[in-house]
Amino acid sequence: PEAYDYFLRGREAVRSHRRSPVLEGRSLLESAIELEPTYSGAYAMLSLSWLSDYINGWGDSPDRSLARAKGLAEKAVTLDGSEPSAALQLARIFLWMKQHDRALTEAQRALALDPNYAMAHGQLGMMFHYTGQSERAIAPIETALRLDPYSDIYLHWLGQSYFGLGRYDEAIASLKRRLIRSPDTYVSRVLLAASYGHLGRTDKARAAWAEVFRVNPEYSLEHRRRVLPYQDPTDFDRVVEGLRHAGIDTSSVPARN
């Protein structure tokens, strides 16, 4: 029971996707594993904490963070091949390693293990978006929202999919809903600014862009371009084009190594 308590608290902290809570959650998950060394779900969530390091560029060595995340996900699957969260975490790893076919296979395996797994539905939709299939992304993300209406990340993924289809008004509606629930997100604000830019709503685009740096002064457009797992890297250009339509000088955004 004590290990499970550590796991629950660690899971919620890691799911915040904010640096300080993620680090706190990592410590809690490590405590769970100390008590229960074969706790597959705890290894899977610990892997997610290191994947967040890689995605957000928090650590000194993103490649090392990704490698650590991969090792922990593989350990989770080895410990319990029937654990849906382990299969899904391995799918995430493959996605961010840009091994898209393997990512889709593992996400579908997670759903086969648990057809009511909201996050697996959502992740599958996100993977469709990153493989240039935004039309297919919408249905599984909407399923995730029905199964778990309290998780606001699905609203971002839904907005992202509408954006990929050029349905900018619908993207804006979903992203604004997400910002009400999670006002400290910056990734949704970037997409919101680009959506406004595509629609010629220059003032709103610039206001949303300014908010990105209020929330995260270290945001780097080039860092996102490098790490986002688009199968076709030029798909990210739609974001940049939206910002430029609003007169935003994207070349002035600091790039990180």
Side-chain angles (χ1 to χ4, degrees), residues 50 53-54 57-67:
W50 285 102
D53 264 24
Y54 170 76
W58 290 335
D60 295 332
S61 174
D63 289 342
R64 190 158 54 239
S65 294
L66 183 58

Side-chain angles (χ1 to χ4, degrees), residues 171-188:
I172 288 167
S174 187
L175 294 166
K176 287 174 73 174
R177 285 175 62 199
R178 204 254 169 140
L179 285 167
I180 290 169
R181 301 269 295 278
S182 185
D184 57 352
T185 174
Y186 60 91
V187 291
S188 291

Side-chain angles (χ1 to χ4, degrees), residues 119-247:
M119 183 58 72
H121 284 283
Q123 288 278 344
L124 181 62
M126 184 182 70
M127 290 172 189
F128 283 140
H129 167 74
Y130 281 122
T131 55
Q133 305 176 79
S134 290
E135 190 70 54
R136 291 185 68 189
I138 293 171
I141 295 171
E142 288 179 338
T143 298
L145 275 166
R146 286 195 299 273
L147 290 169
D148 182 10
Y150 297 103
S151 183
D152 59 85
I153 189 62
Y154 305 136
L155 294 169
H156 176 79
W157 294 343
L158 187 60
Q160 195 175 37
S161 299
Y162 283 134
F163 183 87
L165 293 168
R167 294 161 61 175
Y168 302 118
D169 282 314
E170 290 164 286
I172 288 167
S174 187
L175 294 166
K176 287 174 73 174
R177 285 175 62 199
R178 204 254 169 140
L179 285 167
I180 290 169
R181 301 269 295 278
S182 185
D184 57 352
T185 174
Y186 60 91
V187 291
S188 291
R189 295 180 189 280
V190 172
L191 211 52
L192 184 63
S195 298
Y196 280 133
H198 278 293
L199 293 172
R201 301 177 191 173
T202 303
D203 290 343
K204 289 189 174 183
R206 291 178 177 176
W209 185 244
E211 284 291 290
V212 171
F213 294 93
R214 181 187 65 79
V215 174
N216 180 10
E218 297 183 356
Y219 176 77
S220 166
L221 196 62
E222 282 307 308
H223 171 75
R224 298 298 286 181
R225 183 195 294 276
R226 284 196 300 271
V227 301
L228 286 179
Y230 283 104
Q231 193 167 46
D232 180 354
T234 63
D235 285 349
F236 187 76
D237 292 345
R238 186 187 292 266
V239 176
V240 178
E241 289 167 4
L243 298 173
R244 288 176 178 167
H245 286 325

